[in-house]
Amino acid sequence: MNFKGKDKRDAYMNTLYVHHDFNGKAGLTLGRMDLFLGQTGLQYDDTFDGAMATIGSKKLAADIGYGRFIGGNLGKADTKEERAAAIARVYGRSGRLAYDAEYIQGEDKYDARIWGAGLTAGVTEDIDIFGDYYQNTDYKNDPQTWTAGLAFGHYNMKKPGTFRIAGQYISAEKGSFLNDTTYTASAAGLVEDRNDINRSRFWLASADLVLMKNVRLHGEYAFDVKINGKAKTNYDDLATVSLNYVF
């Protein structure tokens, strides 16, 4: 947008929402908001347009909402206009346990009725086991997407030298995978990006190291990629390294 010249360009907001708390025990959010599903974000980690009502506390909370997934796929739906869905979630944390369960209902013609659950359990103060599981019961053959892994350490953006390393196995089937994941080195998206692949399986190793306050080095390495379907392609290992800043 040019405020001085005659050039006219569109202005837009990437994220815009309003939120109101009711005595700290309930809340209502309207607009474009961030949505992170599960314990790992494998299923979805992007924005969501709509309304979301929340009630509860850190130990146990519930969300009920309706809107549109901005990214990814939802069953047979593709465009943003088609990705309208109702969402119900319960989630919380108690001691060394973090847990969640979700239900996503899209329009009937898009075969999207997805339910899922996730769990992170602290075996010790430094070791976690974690996993997410999703299934679409409206899609042909009831496809599933899941991951299970083990992590060591916990990083804190305010504490340089803190770190976390993790390894996990990922399996994604077409129809159950929303395809807008938190991971940047992932072969899971192949099931939605290509019509000749219906399942993708692989190992993923990841690491985070806080270099200085509010600066984090992040790396991922996906390997042993296996696919099911008509495709004959062999996929190489995938890797990514990034610096993340918090302002």
Side-chain angles (χ1 to χ4, degrees):
M1 179 179 290
N2 190 333
F3 289 99
K4 293 183 179 181
K6 297 181 179 181
D7 186 17
K8 296 182 179 180
R9 300 181 183 181
D10 292 336
Y12 65 93
M13 295 286 185
N14 187 51
T15 302
L16 180 65
Y17 63 89
V18 293
H19 177 80
H20 181 73
D21 272 328
F22 299 92
N23 298 322
K25 296 181 179 180
L28 178 64
T29 304
L30 302 173
R32 175 165 294 182
M33 64 200 82
D34 291 330
L35 180 62
F36 185 99
L37 298 180
Q39 296 296 305
T40 65
L42 168 67
Q43 182 67 294
Y44 193 78
D45 181 12
D46 206 331
T47 50
F48 182 79
D49 281 354
M52 193 79 71
T54 303
I55 187 170
S57 63
K58 290 183 178 180
K59 287 188 176 181
L60 184 63
D63 291 346
I64 298 177
Y66 182 84
R68 301 181 190 275
F69 291 94
I70 299 304
N73 300 81
L74 180 64
K76 295 179 180 178
D78 187 16
T79 66
K80 182 178 69 173
E81 288 71 24
E82 297 173 343
R83 294 192 294 263
I87 298 179
R89 308 166 62 202
V90 293
Y91 53 94
R93 177 181 293 273
S94 179
R96 293 180 180 175
L97 290 178
Y99 34 81
D100 66 274
E102 288 124 5
Y103 178 79
I104 302 169
Q105 176 65 65
E107 295 184 32
D108 289 341
K109 61 182 177 180
Y110 298 123
D111 294 346
R113 181 182 294 165
I114 300 173
W115 69 272
L119 178 69
T120 298
V123 180
T124 69
E125 290 186 358
D126 295 318
I127 299 176
D128 294 331
I129 56 174
F130 59 87
D132 285 323
Y133 176 87
Y134 292 90
Q135 184 178 39
N136 188 347
T137 58
D138 256 9
Y139 205 89
K140 182 180 179 181
N141 297 325
D142 296 339
Q144 306 170 11
T145 289
W146 59 271
T147 184
L150 179 70
F152 178 79
H154 299 92
Y155 70 85
N156 186 325
M157 292 296 285
K158 296 181 180 181
K159 296 181 179 180
T162 56
F163 68 92
R164 180 181 187 268
I165 57 175
Q168 63 196 98
Y169 189 75
I170 294 174
S171 174
E173 293 183 337
K174 186 184 295 294
S176 64
F177 182 57
L178 294 183
N179 195 22
D180 216 336
T181 179
T182 194
Y183 301 114
T184 52
S186 172
L190 292 171
V191 299
E192 296 298 342
D193 294 338
R194 297 190 50 162
N195 293 326
D196 54 356
I197 296 176
N198 54 46
R199 185 184 183 188
S200 174
R201 295 169 291 165
F202 60 99
W203 289 92
L204 179 67
S206 60
D208 294 274
L209 173 63
V210 179
L211 302 177
M212 60 182 68
K213 187 177 180 179
N214 295 330
V215 179
R216 174 172 58 96
L217 178 66
H218 174 76
E220 296 177 15
Y221 180 62
F223 58 97
D224 194 23
V225 179
K226 297 178 181 179
I227 59 174
N228 294 90
K230 298 179 180 179
K232 302 299 182 182
T233 306
N234 291 321
Y235 287 91
D236 295 330
D237 299 344
L238 306 171
T240 182
V241 177
S242 61
L243 276 175
N244 299 267
Y245 303 87
V246 176
F247 297 97

